[in-house]
Amino acid sequence: MPGQQDEAVASLTYTIGEIISKLKNKVFEEPLLMDPSKTAISSRLNFTLKFTFTSVPCQPLEADERQVADAVDTAKQAVEAMRPTPVVDHLSSAVDTVTQVVNSAQTFATTWDVLLKRIKLFDQIVTGIAEIHPYTSLAWSVISAAHKVLVNQNDRDDQITRLAGTMSDVLAFVHDADPLKADRAHVEPLKLLTQQVMECAYFIRDYAEHKSFVTRLAKYTLSDINSKITDYQRRLQELRDAFLRGVGLQTGITVVRMMNVIEHTLEDKDLDDMPYAKGARHDQDKGCLTGTRDEVLRELREILSNPAEDAPRVCLLTGLAGSGKSAVAHSMARWFEGQKRLVSSYCFARTDVARRNPTNLFSTVARDLCDHNAEYKSALWKVVGESRSLRTSEVPTEQLERLIIEPSKHIQAIGPLVVVIDALDECGDQASRQQLVLAISRLATETSFPFNLRFLITTRPESDILAKLPPGPRLVHKQMSNISEQMVDEDIEKFIRHSLDEWSSELDLSNQDWCRLLVHHSQHLFQWAATACKFIQGFGSIGLGRSARLGLLLKTRRTEAGYPLDELYKTVLLQLFKSAPEQDRFREVMGVLLALKEPLPLPCLSDLFHGHLKITMDILEDIPIDVPVDVRAMVSSLASLLDGACDDRKPVRPLHASFYDFLRDGKRSSAFHIPFLPQHSLTLGQASLVCMCRMLKFNICGLADSRILNDKVSGLSSCVDEAIPPHLSYSCLYWMDHLQHTICSSDLNSEITLFFKRFFPYWLEVISLLSLSSASPISSALQTCIALQHWAQPKTMHPSSISVSHAPDPPQFTTL
């Protein structure tokens, strides 16, 4: 009847698990229980509930079922072990407030026993879901260490018990929801829920870590603790609901990195003049294929997350070129970033030493730490705020002491804070990296900064590095060579099959002989497999079909000693450049690419040379002729060996450092040897001059009023990015870096004189704009003027030269 409220006449109460158990052909059908009070209706009607279950199956993958259960088991032991210590009278009321919720051991034990049972069921539901495996794995190691710290304490802090109770409630549905793991929509919420459980483990461990309750209370106020636990509880419940509904969330997990509260804003604390390596962070597109390298990744995660105060702080991972160190480093950085535990990642590259070098590693880490946490930024500002010389220091040992150790002394961190440093051996030669390696050695002995701060460093096993970083209590040394060859080959085979699956019919993937042969040729090197797969796929290849390219690789000679990748590189290059003139063009273009101070994306490379690079070749009867070479076409053909050749967003550089080493070593590369030649520097220096003369202009950003100071212009950084493309920025910063390695000829002197007469003020404007985010462009411009004056001295030029008179003296330059 209109206006009347509907009455409940029948009901059915089942858990999800009970419903699942009654399914027949995915159909649930069950009579409803009639309300006895509605006898008039129940005598005439019967109700039956019937519906069908559907799901989208996932690809079953490996997972560890036990570690979340172990994590909560140890959390129970850790909190159960906490006991009150004698307190002064004025704190007694606070102690009563904190402990009033839990009045008996039975109440506490019951809470944890229930949670343990439910967490074991949680293990079961994550079986077969690889995305969740690492988080469940770490939860165990995190909490187990807390138990060791608190084994002599008995106090049950009510906040921790309350959090444990919430965890138990949130996971109560897991046993009933087991079939939901087959539905892909539930995987991401379940992954986040597992991550949040681990974050709760971090919080419990570090809150309980202090030896007495008085210390805990003094360090963390009740309001701080309550607010953090409330955040955790709310997020756990949100994730539970999201999992049940199978919907994604706009935000990730709740993470508490620092307990301390910052009472003032830091908006006015400008640390932008500290050296920073742009583009040095890890690449999201790089890393290990899912299902490969599982054992080494698991082991590294456990080392870096070990909560013990005496745990290793530095993990050094060494391996030969091509063994997969960098892939592991990128995977670890990506994983800890997803967990909001990555402080900084820094990847050295031999082809980018201008931006990535020992002088800015720790300053980059320090600035990343500032972005990570405001408390650290406040502490750092107290150290360097009044000292520009400290902020701009380029001495690694001083950077570590003043920018990392000193500001960190009084910071209380929660959970691991991870820094990943990849390819330490590529930061320079032994002499240039000596101070940096010495500074890194301090990380293994320094005790004044947070013990939670952990470093993963990958490198080739260079003698100077290993000598300065020996294994010890705080430094663990892991070697890629210790992984069993059988396990490596199994992973390489998985990688090859995954990479070539799209062309399975063309390559006859059902025939396993060729795949085993490729694995055999790889000599346990992932880089060999990666390069071979790119070549077979057709990246940059000319002429041959995929089957023919595969056959070509299978015929290559397997190198038993020395450099296993060399034969592969020769095979690919000989397929692309068969004749002597073609090889000449390759050497000239690659010589210029390797001489770049920092790599540029392919469109910028092409624009720098106005589309074509002119090289001099003897075509007819030893008559030199300038031959234009299409830069884009040449670089694109090398896509199996160069990163960025098929992606205009990425800088073009050797796909692996071993290819750079191969080209520079004449004994290894033979016809493809590329020595260090002044001609390559001259080509880049002249191209930079031409680029600047073509693109520099007054008020390059098109500001409404060019007289306004930079820091007063709103949105200027965005304008700079649009108005100054990378190749113009490169030209302004490095033109003299290249020319100083050449002879100051009369023609070249005339070009520079014209540049200073017509474009010098516009060059200064660009230098000023580039300095908005870093002080290095100013330093670069000063060095340019110093180098120019030295380069154009009368000993190499006629005294009447006017170049020097147009270059400002360095002291004068700073006032322009």
Side-chain angles (χ1 to χ4, degrees):
M1 296 289 292
Q4 290 186 341
Q5 185 174 358
D6 293 337
E7 289 186 295
V9 297
S11 65
L12 179 66
T13 303
Y14 278 133
T15 65
I16 295 177
E18 291 170 332
I19 292 176
I20 299 301
S21 67
K22 293 178 178 294
L23 289 180
K24 294 182 179 180
N25 297 324
K26 298 186 178 180
V27 176
F28 175 83
E29 185 173 359
E30 190 76 9
L32 300 182
L33 298 177
M34 305 301 296
D35 187 343
S37 65
K38 313 296 181 183
T39 55
I41 298 177
S42 61
S43 61
R44 302 195 307 270
L45 298 175
N46 290 317
F47 294 91
T48 298
L49 179 65
K50 181 178 181 180
F51 53 86
T52 301
F53 273 77
T54 61
S55 64
V56 179
C58 294
Q59 178 70 25
L61 299 170
E62 297 180 5
D64 190 336
E65 322 177 348
R66 284 291 312 161
Q67 290 164 339
V68 167
D70 292 337
V72 179
D73 187 16
T74 311
K76 175 200 171 195
Q77 297 175 41
V79 181
E80 202 169 25
M82 297 167 65
R83 69 162 178 257
T85 58
V87 296
V88 293
D89 291 341
H90 71 275
L91 285 180
S92 60
S93 60
V95 174
D96 293 337
T97 302
V98 173
T99 58
Q100 63 184 354
V101 176
V102 185
N103 296 315
S104 69
Q106 182 61 40
T107 302
F108 178 83
T110 300
T111 300
W112 283 97
D113 287 343
V114 172
L115 177 56
L116 281 172
K117 293 178 181 178
R118 290 171 176 170
I119 209 71
K120 289 178 181 178
L121 296 175
F122 185 83
D123 279 339
Q124 298 173 5
I125 200 169
V126 301
T127 303
I129 306 177
E131 296 95 324
I132 301 172
H133 160 63
Y135 308 106
T136 59
S137 176
L138 274 182
W140 157 240
S141 59
V142 168
I143 298 298
S144 63
H147 167 58
K148 296 176 182 178
V149 173
L150 298 169
V151 70
N152 296 319
Q153 298 184 19
N154 282 330
D155 181 42
R156 290 101 177 197
D157 292 348
D158 69 312
Q159 295 93 342
I160 301 301
T161 303
R162 181 157 53 89
L163 178 58
T166 301
M167 294 167 67
S168 179
D169 293 340
V170 165
L171 298 175
F173 71 90
V174 172
H175 176 256
D176 302 329
D178 181 77
L180 294 179
K181 72 176 184 179
D183 191 336
R184 192 69 197 178
H186 293 82
V187 172
E188 184 60 26
L190 182 59
K191 174 183 173 182
L192 291 174
L193 181 57
T194 314
Q195 290 177 313
Q196 192 64 68
V197 169
M198 193 176 77
E199 278 303 315
C200 292
Y202 283 140
F203 183 84
I204 291 172
R205 179 202 72 191
D206 288 344
Y207 172 73
E209 191 171 274
H210 301 286
K211 296 298 187 296
S212 69
F213 181 73
V214 173
T215 306
R216 290 197 302 276
L217 191 61
K219 185 65 66 175
Y220 309 141
T221 67
L222 292 177
S223 60
D224 287 341
I225 297 168
N226 284 328
S227 66
K228 301 300 187 295
I229 291 180
T230 298
D231 290 341
Y232 279 138
Q233 291 175 309
R234 182 175 60 251
R235 194 59 181 153
L236 281 168
Q237 292 165 353
E238 290 174 354
L239 292 170
R240 176 202 62 186
D241 295 341
F243 173 71
L244 289 173
R245 297 194 308 270
V247 299
L249 297 177
Q250 296 301 315
T251 57
I253 61 174
T254 294
V255 175
V256 177
R257 301 188 189 96
M258 304 284 182
M259 282 297 298
N260 309 53
V261 178
I262 303 298
E263 298 179 351
H264 58 280
T265 63
L266 296 171
E267 295 177 356
D268 58 333
K269 312 305 183 190
D270 186 1
L271 298 170
D272 286 346
D273 56 353
M274 288 173 54
Y276 191 82
K278 288 186 176 181
R281 76 186 303 271
H282 68 284
D283 190 337
Q284 290 288 350
D285 296 332
K286 294 183 178 180
C288 303
L289 175 69
T290 301
T292 64
R293 297 300 203 200
D294 288 342
E295 185 64 23
V296 66
L297 292 174
R298 179 197 61 78
E299 189 175 3
L300 293 177
R301 280 192 294 264
E302 290 183 353
I303 292 172
L304 296 174
S305 299
N306 187 343
E309 291 193 21
D310 60 351
R313 298 186 179 179
V314 178
C315 180
L316 184 68
L317 180 66
T318 62
L320 298 176
S323 58
K325 304 181 300 297
S326 291
V328 170
H330 285 269
S331 289
M332 293 299 296
R334 193 169 59 201
W335 191 86
F336 278 105
E337 184 177 48
Q339 191 62 21
K340 298 184 180 179
R341 292 290 168 185
L342 181 70
V343 169
S344 180
S345 61
Y346 192 113
C347 304
F348 287 106
R350 191 168 287 120
T351 55
D352 195 8
V353 293
R355 290 188 301 181
R356 314 183 199 188
N357 56 70
T359 66
N360 62 21
L361 169 61
F362 289 117
S363 57
T364 298
V365 172
R367 286 182 60 176
D368 286 343
L369 265 168
C370 291
D371 295 337
H372 199 73
N373 188 266
E375 182 189 12
Y376 177 85
K377 185 175 183 179
S378 176
L380 177 61
W381 183 256
K382 292 178 181 178
V383 176
V384 303
E386 303 302 322
S387 175
R388 181 182 178 88
S389 63
L390 271 182
R391 294 197 303 272
T392 57
S393 171
E394 294 185 345
V395 180
T397 51
E398 184 176 47
Q399 285 185 350
L400 177 63
E401 174 65 34
R402 306 305 299 275
L403 306 184
I404 304 293
I405 295 176
E406 192 170 337
S408 302
K409 287 182 178 179
H410 305 294
I411 293 178
Q412 299 298 324
I414 291 181
L417 304 175
V418 177
V419 177
V420 175
I421 303 171
D422 181 41
L424 178 63
D425 56 289
E426 296 187 39
C427 71
D429 57 22
Q430 289 193 23
S432 59
R433 68 188 179 217
Q434 180 179 4
Q435 287 296 315
L436 177 59
V437 176
L438 182 63
I440 291 175
S441 68
R442 283 199 62 191
L443 295 174
T445 57
E446 183 60 46
T447 60
S448 59
F449 63 85
F451 70 90
N452 311 57
L453 191 59
R454 305 298 168 84
F455 290 78
L456 171 63
I457 303 173
T458 68
T459 179
R460 296 185 192 180
E462 303 290 352
S463 59
D464 62 307
I465 295 177
L466 297 182
K468 290 290 194 303
L469 302 176
R474 300 297 177 88
L475 188 151
V476 59
H477 182 190
K478 294 296 177 181
Q479 302 177 58
M480 299 294 288
S481 59
N482 287 342
I483 305 174
S484 73
E485 293 181 353
Q486 179 181 351
M487 186 179 297
V488 173
D489 287 348
E490 289 174 356
D491 286 346
I492 289 177
E493 183 171 350
K494 291 178 185 177
F495 174 83
I496 291 174
R497 292 191 176 280
H498 176 270
S499 300
L500 301 179
D501 181 65
E502 183 179 346
W503 301 278
S504 58
S505 58
E506 181 179 348
L507 298 173
D508 187 18
L509 287 183
S510 60
N511 181 357
Q512 299 185 13
D513 290 341
W514 66 263
C515 189
R516 284 194 292 265
L517 284 172
L518 283 179
V519 173
H520 176 72
H521 277 72
S522 73
Q523 296 181 250
H524 323 299
L525 295 179
F526 258 89
Q527 188 57 42
W528 194 101
T531 304
C533 286
K534 283 182 175 294
F535 180 68
I536 294 171
Q537 289 167 354
F539 285 89
S541 301
I542 300 174
L544 297 178
R546 293 186 181 89
S547 294
R549 289 193 289 272
L550 171 60
L552 192 64
L553 292 182
L554 295 179
K555 294 178 183 178
T556 57
R557 184 164 50 89
R558 189 177 188 267
T559 305
E560 296 299 335
Y563 307 95
L565 289 164
D566 287 3
E567 285 301 315
L568 175 63
Y569 293 147
K570 288 179 182 178
T571 299
V572 174
L573 291 174
L574 284 171
Q575 170 61 27
L576 296 174
F577 311 105
K578 297 181 175 65
S579 67
E582 289 175 336
Q583 293 171 7
D584 289 341
R585 286 193 287 269
F586 163 78
R587 286 193 297 268
E588 288 301 320
V589 173
M590 278 303 303
V592 170
L593 291 182
L594 298 183
L596 286 168
K597 296 298 180 180
E598 64 183 58
L600 293 171
L602 184 50
C604 296
L605 274 174
S606 183
D607 289 344
L608 178 62
F609 297 106
H610 225 40
H612 292 81
L613 175 64
K614 292 184 179 180
I615 64 175
T616 302
M617 299 181 64
D618 296 334
I619 303 297
L620 297 173
E621 298 180 358
D622 296 330
I623 301 176
I625 299 177
D626 286 340
V627 178
V629 178
D630 189 317
V631 175
R632 177 176 283 276
M634 172 66 76
V635 172
S636 297
S637 70
L638 291 162
S640 61
L641 300 172
L642 297 179
D643 194 21
C646 291
D647 189 342
D648 287 350
R649 299 167 301 173
K650 290 185 174 182
V652 176
R653 58 164 65 95
L655 197 60
H656 193 261
S658 59
F659 183 51
Y660 177 94
D661 298 337
F662 166 79
L663 295 175
R664 290 302 196 190
D665 190 334
K667 295 181 180 179
R668 295 166 57 186
S669 50
S670 302
F672 299 101
H673 176 222
I674 301 174
F676 294 92
L677 295 177
Q679 177 61 37
H680 298 148
S681 292
L682 177 62
T683 299
L684 283 166
Q686 288 181 311
S688 297
L689 279 175
V690 172
C691 178
M692 290 189 293
C693 292
R694 186 174 73 244
M695 300 186 68
L696 289 177
K697 61 181 181 179
F698 172 73
N699 191 14
I700 194 168
C701 288
L703 304 179
D705 189 345
S706 62
R707 296 169 296 178
I708 300 177
L709 296 177
N710 288 344
D711 58 1
K712 304 298 182 182
V713 180
S714 177
L716 183 57
S717 295
S718 298
C719 293
V720 170
D721 292 338
E722 294 179 6
I724 306 176
H727 53 288
L728 177 57
S729 171
Y730 181 94
S731 298
C732 291
L733 292 174
Y734 298 117
W735 63 274
M736 194 59 218
D737 282 73
H738 293 298
L739 292 181
Q740 67 179 335
H741 300 296
T742 66
I743 300 298
C744 181
S745 66
S746 176
D747 291 342
L748 190 53
N749 181 72
S750 298
E751 292 181 44
I752 296 175
T753 300
L754 178 64
F755 168 75
F756 271 97
K757 285 182 175 179
R758 297 181 56 185
F759 298 101
F760 177 69
Y762 309 149
W763 175 63
L764 284 184
E765 180 188 9
V766 169
I767 293 297
S768 173
L769 293 170
L770 294 177
S771 301
L772 290 175
S773 58
S774 170
S776 58
I778 294 291
S779 175
S780 175
L782 287 168
Q783 293 302 317
T784 291
C785 291
I786 294 172
L788 176 60
Q789 288 189 311
H790 177 76
W791 176 75
Q793 289 300 318
K795 61 181 179 181
T796 55
M797 276 297 302
H798 192 274
S800 61
S801 169
I802 62 173
S803 281
V804 176
S805 64
H806 283 277
D809 292 329
Q812 297 173 337
F813 180 84
T814 58
T815 64
L816 291 175

